[in-house]
């Protein structure tokens, strides 16, 4: 998990954060939240990319944590 405060929003985002959160299992990224420039806020679940509506850093952390817990449960990792 990495978060930067940037001087101005990245292209495609409306806030001043650049972030990258990832869950890696067996050397494969199975879940990732990020907002690379030009794509805006989104998440990857496996190979699927889904838009993400950013509201606050705390909500972002909670949403990522909830998706991690869901992945762990669905994959019998709990």
């Amino acid at each position: 998990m990495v978060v930067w405060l940037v001087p101005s929003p990245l292209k495609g985002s409306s806030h001043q954060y650049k972030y990258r959160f990832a869950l890696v299992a067996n050397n494969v990224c199975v879940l990732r939240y990020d907002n690379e420039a030009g794509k805006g806020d989104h998440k990857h679940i496996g190979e699927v990319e889904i838009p993400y509506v950013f509201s606050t850093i705390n909500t972002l952390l909670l949403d990522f944590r909830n998706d991690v817990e869901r992945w762990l449960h669905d994959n019998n990792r709990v």
Side-chain angles (χ1 to χ4, degrees):
M1 296 171 77
V2 181
V3 179
W4 297 269
L5 181 60
V6 293
S8 59
L10 298 175
K11 184 177 179 181
S13 293
S14 60
H15 52 82
Q16 289 185 262
Y17 297 101
K18 165 88 175 114
Y19 60 88
R20 180 179 63 233
F21 298 174
L23 172 64
V24 177
N26 298 320
N27 295 318
V28 175
C29 182
V30 296
L31 175 65
R32 185 172 81 242
Y33 280 47
D34 68 288
N35 66 331
E36 66 183 84
K39 287 184 132 186
D41 303 285
H42 61 281
K43 63 183 179 177
H44 303 259
I45 299 176
E47 299 292 323
V48 178
E49 184 176 307
I50 303 164
Y52 176 77
V53 178
F54 180 94
S55 60
T56 68
I57 285 291
N58 286 338
T59 301
L60 175 68
L61 290 165
L62 288 172
D63 290 344
F64 181 72
R65 180 179 174 188
N66 288 337
D67 277 347
V68 167
E69 293 297 325
R70 189 174 303 112
W71 187 90
L72 292 171
H73 180 267
D74 291 349
N75 291 279
N76 299 312
R77 305 276 178 132
V78 182

